[in-house]
Amino acid sequence: MKLSRGTRLLILGLLLVVADQIIKILVKTNMTIGEHFSVIGNWFQIYFIENEGMAFGMKFGGQTGKFLLSLFRLVLAGALIYWINDLLKKKGTPAGVVVGLTLITAGAVGNIIDCLFYGILFGESTYRTVAEFLPEAGGYAPFFFGKVVDMFYFPIIDTTFPEWMPLIGGNPFRFFAPVFNFADSCVTCGAIYLIFFQWRFFAKDERKPEKVK
């Protein structure tokens, strides 16, 4: 049986979300905050941290900002799903466009799950203790206020400026310092793909044809 394009995209999106959650749960339930280990040399590490909801470990406006960010993500994910469904109904929509949008949507949904449910499903991760799943004492935060789990760290250049350099001598320098997760990767890859390879679709002239007099 041949699957429709919409069904294939749904399967792709679900697989990406499931992969994201498996990675996060494994890290959350087996590592303490700040714990890390090398995957490939020193430039690819698994480094467990949590953030308030923004990509690449950034923060935004405390609890109010976190609530607004989670709400924005929900609205954005809903809008993207609606947009993808609308594009699928139109003939001539390139497959790459809906795949790119699906990557972005899956990434948004992956981080939404953390924000909405991790606070009530897990105990708090600390620098000394590993989080417990469904702890008897309850989760570490109410619904909507969970933290996003990050773990991918690529310190491609990790060095220290020579002491003889004025002002910055002796200070550490990392070329790519953010720690991010699989969902962030989906959003970034989807956006970069659309910008570089599908820009013609979004830039095309969609003016209505002139009416015949």
Side-chain angles (χ1 to χ4, degrees):
M1 187 176 88
K2 186 176 181 180
L3 299 176
S4 67
R5 186 159 64 158
T7 301
R8 294 198 297 270
L9 287 173
L10 178 61
I11 292 173
L12 171 63
L14 288 174
L15 288 175
L16 293 173
V17 171
V18 169
D20 173 66
Q21 290 301 307
I22 289 175
I23 295 170
K24 288 174 176 175
I25 291 172
L26 286 173
V27 169
K28 177 78 174 170
T29 56
N30 289 279
M31 299 178 69
T32 58
I33 291 290
E35 184 178 352
H36 60 93
F37 61 87
S38 176
V39 179
I40 302 177
N42 290 325
W43 64 271
F44 176 21
Q45 302 177 30
I46 299 298
Y47 194 117
F48 177 33
I49 65 169
E50 292 180 311
N51 70 71
E52 300 299 326
M54 292 190 73
F56 302 108
M58 295 182 288
K59 295 183 179 181
F60 175 68
Q63 292 293 86
T64 301
K66 179 174 176 53
F67 175 81
L68 293 175
L69 182 62
S70 298
L71 186 61
F72 171 76
R73 272 210 180 102
L74 280 171
V75 173
L76 176 62
L80 285 169
I81 292 171
Y82 177 85
W83 190 14
I84 293 170
N85 184 60
D86 185 59
L87 289 173
L88 288 172
K89 295 177 182 178
K90 297 179 180 179
K91 293 182 178 180
T93 300
V97 170
V98 288
V99 169
L101 291 173
T102 298
L103 286 172
I104 296 172
T105 305
V109 170
N111 284 333
I112 285 171
I113 292 173
D114 295 30
C115 293
L116 297 187
F117 301 109
Y118 274 32
I120 57 179
L121 292 177
F122 295 98
E124 186 173 7
S125 295
T126 72
Y127 288 97
R128 294 185 177 181
T129 59
V130 174
E132 181 183 354
F133 179 65
L134 295 177
E136 292 185 6
Y140 67 86
F143 180 69
F144 237 99
F145 289 92
K147 297 177 183 179
V148 174
V149 174
D150 290 331
M151 75 294 295
F152 295 143
Y153 180 40
F154 290 86
I156 299 171
I157 299 176
D158 190 353
T159 187
T160 302
F161 288 112
E163 293 290 344
W164 55 264
M165 297 183 69
L167 300 179
I168 60 174
N171 292 328
F173 172 74
R174 293 181 178 88
F175 175 72
F176 190 72
V179 182
F180 57 97
N181 58 42
F182 186 78
D184 297 333
S185 301
C186 289
V187 173
T188 302
C189 290
I192 291 174
Y193 173 75
L194 292 176
I195 291 171
F196 284 97
F197 298 101
Q198 299 295 335
W199 62 271
R200 289 185 179 86
F201 175 80
F202 298 99
K204 70 181 181 180
D205 187 2
E206 296 183 348
R207 291 175 298 177
K208 294 182 181 180
E210 294 182 5
K211 295 182 180 180
V212 179
K213 294 182 180 180

